[in-house]
Amino acid sequence: MTPELLAGIFASEFAAMAGESAKRKRRFTVALSGGSTPAILYSLIGDNYTKSVSWEYVHFFWGDERCVPPESSESNYGMARDTLLHKIDIPPANLHRIRGEDDPAGEAERYSGEIVNNTLSRNGLPEFDLVILGLGEDGHTASIFPGNNSLLVSGSVCAVAVHPLSHQKRITITGKVINNSDHICFLVTGKKKAEIVKEIINKEAGALNYPASGIVSEYGDLTWFLDQDAAAFL
Ligand code: 6PG
């Protein structure tokens, strides 16, 4: 399975989920991720589903954002805008971006409120319909990095995180919020991820150090979308 085929399968599942919500005239709340694999997916949805998805019911949020302005090539919002958002007819009010250009602590607080005010709630935490995640080679997901596992159990909705190597500040949703959603999907491609994917999926002892191991669906389902290379050791 190539990354493109994988993205195609995911895109049709996305459209089906969005269709279910639209049928019931319900919002479909989705937290997007950054990363190279999600970028392939967004392009594909932007190219093939412009007309068949009722975009007025779709609300996009971001699971994490780099603290840079939206024009930066590192902006996760910018990536989604360039690959998908400019191709679809979605009301601007349905785009809930993290303001990477603002003060990180203040923005983490503001964005927590924006999520709470625009999603359903379960057990006192926001409930996204779908959270799309990538997986870093160090086992991070969203912007929850190794050594920062407290963000998996934090009671906050959002937090400021720091990339361990570049020291770039990030804003991320926390593990409990991810685990509270209806559908969690990891989208992972490439040989470099094969070892870590195997360790996490097989629940090997060392994998506990990878934040992605702490992502467990509490109320819905968690699906791994892997290309042939990422699945090579399974
Ligand atoms: C980010 C992400 C992050 C990403 C992984 C995988 O903004 O950095 O949201 O969690 O998804 O690092 O990225 P790649 O697919 O580029 O390896």
Side-chain angles (χ1 to χ4, degrees), residues 1-225:
M1 163 106 52
T2 63
E4 288 68 24
L5 273 176
L6 182 76
I9 291 171
F10 186 87
S12 73
E13 294 221 0
F14 170 90
M17 286 186 227
E20 275 304 307
S21 294
K23 221 191 289 169
R24 289 183 281 145
K25 301 203 181 312
R26 267 198 50 194
R27 277 185 182 201
F28 181 51
T29 56
V30 184
L32 299 174
S33 137
S36 53
T37 314
I40 304 174
L41 167 75
Y42 304 156
S43 288
L44 214 132
I45 296 177
D47 292 340
N48 300 309
Y49 292 89
T50 44
K51 295 273 174 287
S52 52
V53 168
S54 301
W55 292 107
E56 68 271 28
Y57 291 104
V58 179
H59 281 249
F60 283 128
F61 298 80
W62 274 260
D64 73 325
E65 182 58 279
R66 294 100 187 264
C67 292
V68 296
E71 307 76 43
S72 163
S73 61
E74 291 189 55
S75 165
N76 285 343
Y77 165 76
M79 185 274 272
R81 178 197 58 212
D82 296 346
T83 52
L84 168 65
L85 305 177
H86 79 278
K87 300 177 188 162
I88 59 177
D89 193 12
I90 187 165
N94 295 14
L95 300 177
H96 306 273
R97 82 171 176 94
I98 301 175
R99 296 179 56 87
E101 67 276 34
D102 285 355
D103 166 65
E107 176 58 7
E109 208 180 311
R110 184 203 68 82
Y111 198 61
S112 298
E114 175 140 3
I115 292 176
V116 168
N117 293 335
N118 288 284
T119 58
L120 297 176
S121 152
R122 172 158 52 203
N123 293 337
L125 281 175
E127 174 194 342
F128 284 110
D129 291 311
L130 170 65
V131 176
I132 300 174
L133 296 171
L135 174 70
E137 282 170 50
D138 59 357
H140 81 260
T141 192
S143 280
I144 308 178
F145 295 98
N148 218 347
N149 279 4
S150 62
L151 291 184
L152 291 170
V153 292
S154 157
S156 307
V157 175
C158 293
V160 180
V162 179
H163 190 284
L165 300 178
S166 67
H167 303 297
Q168 180 186 55
K169 284 196 178 167
R170 309 273 187 104
I171 291 169
T172 188
I173 58 172
T174 57
K176 277 191 173 182
V177 173
I178 298 174
N179 293 349
N180 202 43
S181 46
D182 289 347
H183 305 284
I184 303 171
C185 294
F186 275 99
L187 271 167
V188 189
T189 56
K191 277 205 183 73
K192 287 184 183 162
K193 309 276 173 78
E195 175 61 31
I196 200 158
V197 162
K198 178 201 77 162
E199 289 179 42
I200 294 172
I201 291 182
N202 291 344
K203 297 188 173 29
E204 292 179 18
L208 284 178
N209 299 322
Y210 304 137
S213 294
I215 302 304
V216 180
S217 174
E218 298 282 354
Y219 302 99
D221 48 63
L222 184 155
T223 312
W224 287 86
F225 287 83

